[in-house]
Amino acid sequence: AAAHAQVLATLKRHDPRITRILLFCKFTALYQLHGVKWEQKEVAGPIFFVERSPESREEARYRIVILNQKSLDDFVQDISSNMTVDGEQETYLFFESGSNVFGLWFYERSDRDNCKNLLRRLIDDPNNKGPPPEKKKAKRNKQAKTPKKMQQQQQQQQQQQQQ
């Protein structure tokens, strides 16, 4: 209990609106899709799914936080209803937020499954409004996209922006 309180206090230094830790995994590494190529980011460490007390309806109630062991720059990602998730790869969890596609690598498949299941529930939580999408998108597909479909969609968006 003391260790949990200490971790919660550490997270609250980054975001005083965090009220509780929903899920914790010891280690993950972050990847980001650029075009058709995955790039490993300089972000790795413990991952937390947290609940927040937002100031307004536009703020996300839930957030992903990776306390980065590689640098002082932690990874923070609001969880909103416009996200999609795919967790069908062995130890990877993929999610899309706006125009960004991220991959999380987990040592344990059970960690990946726990994160995937929670993330899907939080995305669908009617109390989690979160920030609006970065740009207008078609209605969110209820079926999870595969990483290949995410790559194709991102390529199409980049081609449209270049035109």
Side-chain angles (χ1 to χ4, degrees):
H4 180 80
Q6 186 177 10
V7 171
L8 185 58
T10 299
L11 291 168
K12 283 186 171 201
R13 277 186 271 170
H14 296 283
D15 179 359
R17 298 212 164 276
I18 293 174
T19 56
R20 68 185 176 129
I21 298 169
L22 302 171
L23 181 65
F24 156 77
C25 295
K26 290 181 185 179
F27 186 83
T28 191
L30 181 70
Y31 291 79
Q32 186 171 8
L33 184 63
H34 291 285
V36 295
K37 192 173 185 182
W38 285 99
E39 174 187 313
Q40 185 173 6
K41 307 302 281 182
E42 288 296 313
V43 177
I47 184 170
F48 299 86
F49 288 76
V50 297
E51 184 172 7
R52 307 173 65 248
S53 175
E55 277 187 21
S56 68
R57 290 180 55 95
E58 287 76 37
E59 284 189 20
R61 177 173 299 280
Y62 306 108
R63 185 172 271 180
I64 298 169
V65 179
I66 300 173
L67 294 180
N68 195 1
Q69 296 174 340
K70 291 187 171 190
S71 77
L72 296 175
D73 297 323
D74 295 329
F75 177 78
V76 176
Q77 173 68 53
D78 288 339
I79 298 171
S80 65
S81 59
N82 67 317
M83 293 176 75
T84 57
V85 63
D86 175 32
E88 302 311 316
Q89 300 290 325
E90 185 66 24
T91 54
Y92 285 91
L93 170 66
F94 302 96
F95 66 93
E96 180 180 13
S97 180
S99 61
N100 295 309
V101 179
F102 296 101
L104 296 170
W105 175 85
F106 295 93
Y107 182 73
E108 297 286 336
R109 186 176 182 162
S110 61
D111 286 346
R112 191 263 342 242
D113 290 343
N114 290 336
C115 290
K116 172 188 69 173
N117 293 335
L118 178 62
L119 186 54
R120 284 184 174 156
R121 283 198 319 269
L122 298 179
I123 288 169
D124 292 335
D125 183 339
N127 295 318
N128 185 36
K129 300 299 181 205
E134 292 175 17
K135 55 188 169 187
K136 280 193 169 185
K137 294 176 70 172
K139 214 173 192 181
R140 187 168 75 85
N141 186 349
K142 291 287 183 183
Q143 294 182 332
K145 298 176 185 174
T146 65
K148 187 171 185 171
K149 286 182 183 176
M150 288 179 177
Q151 287 176 344
Q152 290 170 345
Q153 183 182 22
Q154 189 176 39
Q155 287 173 341
Q156 289 171 350
Q157 289 173 349
Q158 287 174 349
Q159 288 172 354
Q160 289 172 355
Q161 289 172 353
Q162 291 174 354
Q163 293 177 355

